Every structure is written in C-alpha cells, then in structure tokens.
C-alpha cells in the first residue's frame, strides 16, 4: 500500500520568505510562480503517475480470481467456491438461501463420470502451519430428487505431500489411483483424483465430503512444509452445486470449521 504525503510547498516557501524579510507581494510576484510550476511539473505528476500505476496493478491482479491465494490461518482455510476461474459450463447460481458469498457453482456440462480433468478450476492455498488437514465442502444436489445422483465432483491435491481418505474409525486408509499408493477406494478414482461426494436425500446444502462408494471415507491432505499448494477440482456430475469449502487441521474442530465465518484472507499471486 502506498501512502502518499502531501507537501505544502507554497505555504512553506511563503513562510521562509516572510522570515527572510520578503513581503507577501514580492513572494507572490517573484518566487511563488516558479516554485509552484516546478512542483506541478515534478512532484505532483510523479505522485499521480505512481499512485495510478500501483492502484491499477493491484486492482487488476486482485480482481482476477486466477491470481487469488487463500491464506491459511490458525489451522483453517475457508473459501467461497465461486472465488476461482471457471470454464463456461460452470454456472454461478443464487437460488435458495443456504449459500454464502456471491452464490454457488453448478456444472451444467456433460457428465464425466470416469474422466477427471475436464472443467478444471484451481485454488492456490498458502499454508503457514504444516500438518494434516481434513477437506470438506458445502454442497447440494440441484437436479432430481435422488441423493446418490448429481452429488459429486472430482478433487485432487497433486503437489501436497499426501492425499488420502480414511474411515471415521481410522481403520481404513485409501489413496487415489495412479499415485503408486494402495489400497484404492471402491468407486471412481483416476490420475490422482478422488470422486468426492455428499450422500443422503436431504438435497439442500450441507457440509459433507467423502469418497469410497458405500463406505464413506473422509478426505485428508498433508502439507509437510509452509508454502503454496494447489487444490484442483474438475467436473464429474452435472447438477452438483458447491458453495464453499474448508480445510482444517487437528487444532480446529470440524464443528468450528463449518460454522466459521472467518473466510481466508485473499492475497494476489
Ligand atoms: Ca459461495
């Protein structure tokens, strides 16, 4: 942020001249015009240019979701899902009252039930506190009346130190396919992507994210060092609406994370 000081040149010069014995008339007639002219040519125009440049640069970068970086703080990343750069078949919607921010995104293109990597969007996360984070999103089924359809989207953390899913008892851990790690979950998984779904016939928005068909495993990602990491999503089911998401480490209760309104500060890449 630039804070520009205003330099009262004419007042100062007048004061100096008065002290040195010039009359106000002399000062005005002889000296002031030069000083004011110099001021106009140099300082004022420079200030104006600098201010303009900085402001344009900042505004341009910060108005482009492609450059957004979501900053983890106190073990929590909380972000509006619509705060990313989306391809044309992702539609911003505002039906209902259960969303926050500008609305939620719904995939209205073809279904990609076996093929991740289509209709991708990315979120850059700045992690200050390394560790294991649970991932969860707030999503809804916006087509039909069956909670097992139109209820999932692909998710991947390709540059994190680990990405896995685990049952609530902690007795089963699975990894996405094509990462060299096993076992893999039942159901769709490919190229490091998990199919992340919500279940149940309460179709409106709720916080739930699991993978592994008929055996819901919670989703986790591990960041061993502070730094910037990439979270990717890609389209799977049409009609799956996603409002926001959270990642929280072991210092944060899930109940805290999903009721928080403390959205992550956004900086610009
Ligand atoms: Ca939202």
């Amino acid at each position: 942020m630039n804070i520009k000081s205003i330099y009262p040149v004419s007042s100062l010069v007048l004061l100096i001249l008065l002290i040195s014995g010039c009359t106000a008339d002399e000062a005005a007639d002889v000296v002031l015009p030069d000083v004011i002219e110099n001021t106009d040519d140099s300082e004022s125009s420079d200030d104006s240019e600098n201010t303009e440049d900085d402001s344009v640069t900042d505004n341009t970068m910060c108005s482009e979701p492609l450059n957004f970086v979501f900053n983890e703080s106190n073990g929590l990343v909380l972000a509006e899902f619509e705060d990313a750069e989306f391809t044309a078949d992702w539609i911003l919607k505002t039906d209902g009252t259960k969303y926050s921010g500008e609305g939620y995104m719904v995939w209205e293109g073809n279904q990609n039930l076996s093929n991740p990597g289509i209709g991708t969007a990315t979120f850059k996360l700045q992690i200050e506190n390394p560790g294991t984070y649970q991932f969860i999103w707030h999503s809804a089924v916006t087509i039909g009346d069956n909670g097992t359809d139109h209820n999932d989207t692909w998710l991947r953390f390709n540059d994190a130190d680990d990405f896995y899913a685990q049952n609530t008892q902690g007795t089963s851990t699975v990894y996405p396919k094509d990462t060299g790690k096993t076992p893999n979950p039942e159901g769709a998984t490919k190229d490091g992507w998990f199919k992340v779904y919500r279940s149940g016939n309460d179709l409106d928005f709720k916080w739930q994210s699991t993978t592994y068909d008929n055996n819901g495993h919670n989703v986790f990602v591990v960041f061993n060092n502070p730094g910037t990491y990439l979270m990717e999503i890609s389209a799977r089911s049409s009609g799956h609406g996603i409002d926001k998401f959270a990642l929280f480490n072991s210092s944060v209760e899930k109940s805290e994370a999903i009721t928080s309104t403390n959205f992550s500060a956004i900086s610009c890449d």
Side-chain angles (χ1 to χ4, degrees):
M1 182 181 296
N2 280 336
I3 299 172
K4 302 289 182 189
S5 58
I6 298 166
Y7 184 55
V9 176
S10 56
S11 306
L12 188 61
V13 168
L14 196 56
L15 184 64
I16 291 167
L17 291 171
L18 286 171
I19 290 169
S20 66
C22 290
T23 66
D25 281 344
E26 281 170 342
D29 289 344
V30 179
V31 182
L32 273 182
D34 281 342
V35 174
I36 289 168
E37 206 173 297
N38 287 341
T39 303
D40 284 343
D41 284 346
S42 57
E43 283 192 38
S44 289
S45 58
D46 282 349
D47 277 1
S48 151
E49 273 173 27
N50 288 341
T51 305
E52 208 171 89
D53 284 347
D54 291 348
S55 130
V56 166
T57 304
D58 287 345
N59 287 342
T60 302
M61 292 178 71
C62 289
S63 67
E64 294 294 337
L66 198 59
N67 299 316
F68 284 0
V69 179
F70 299 89
N71 290 266
E72 175 265 322
S73 176
N74 296 319
L76 176 68
V77 176
L78 178 63
E80 296 289 358
F81 192 74
E82 64 271 19
D83 279 349
E85 186 82 10
F86 286 94
T87 57
D89 285 334
W90 283 102
I91 309 297
L92 178 68
K93 298 211 169 189
T94 57
D95 298 331
T97 57
K98 284 202 165 181
Y99 66 87
S100 59
E102 300 293 312
Y104 52 93
M105 303 304 297
V106 178
W107 176 253
E108 294 199 339
N110 294 330
Q111 301 213 109
N112 304 290
L113 301 185
S114 307
N115 295 306
I118 296 164
T120 56
T122 59
F123 297 83
K124 293 189 194 88
L125 313 179
Q126 177 67 34
I127 301 297
E128 296 300 329
N129 295 290
T132 300
Y133 285 71
Q134 185 173 345
F135 174 88
I136 191 166
W137 57 31
H138 191 236
S139 78
V141 173
T142 71
I143 295 178
D145 55 8
N146 189 339
T148 61
D149 295 328
H150 310 291
N151 64 331
D152 53 48
T153 294
W154 298 102
L155 175 72
R156 181 167 75 170
F157 288 88
N158 219 22
D159 59 6
D161 294 283
D162 208 358
F163 178 40
Y164 63 89
Q166 195 170 65
N167 64 359
T168 49
Q169 299 86 352
T171 55
S172 167
T173 303
V174 293
Y175 302 88
K177 276 189 178 169
D178 306 315
T179 57
K181 293 182 179 175
T182 56
N184 308 126
E186 293 296 325
T189 171
K190 187 180 178 184
D191 294 339
W193 297 84
F194 275 141
K195 170 186 89 173
V196 174
Y197 66 84
R198 43 149 295 150
S199 55
N201 286 331
D202 48 343
L203 306 181
D204 209 349
F205 284 97
K206 68 175 176 181
W207 287 98
Q208 189 194 45
S209 291
T210 52
T211 192
Y212 203 133
D213 287 1
N214 304 310
N215 185 9
H217 281 45
N218 294 320
V219 178
F220 297 89
V221 57
V222 179
F223 308 112
N224 282 344
N225 299 292
T228 306
Y229 296 88
L230 212 57
M231 169 184 142
E232 300 170 280
I233 64 92
S234 68
R236 187 168 189 274
S237 293
S238 59
H240 186 219
I242 308 175
D243 169 33
K244 54 192 163 188
F245 65 89
L247 292 104
F248 56 99
N249 70 14
S250 57
S251 74
V252 180
E253 294 293 330
K254 177 180 163 187
S255 57
E256 280 179 73
I258 66 177
T259 54
S260 176
T261 54
N262 187 20
F263 282 85
S264 295
I266 296 174
S267 51
C268 296
D269 196 13

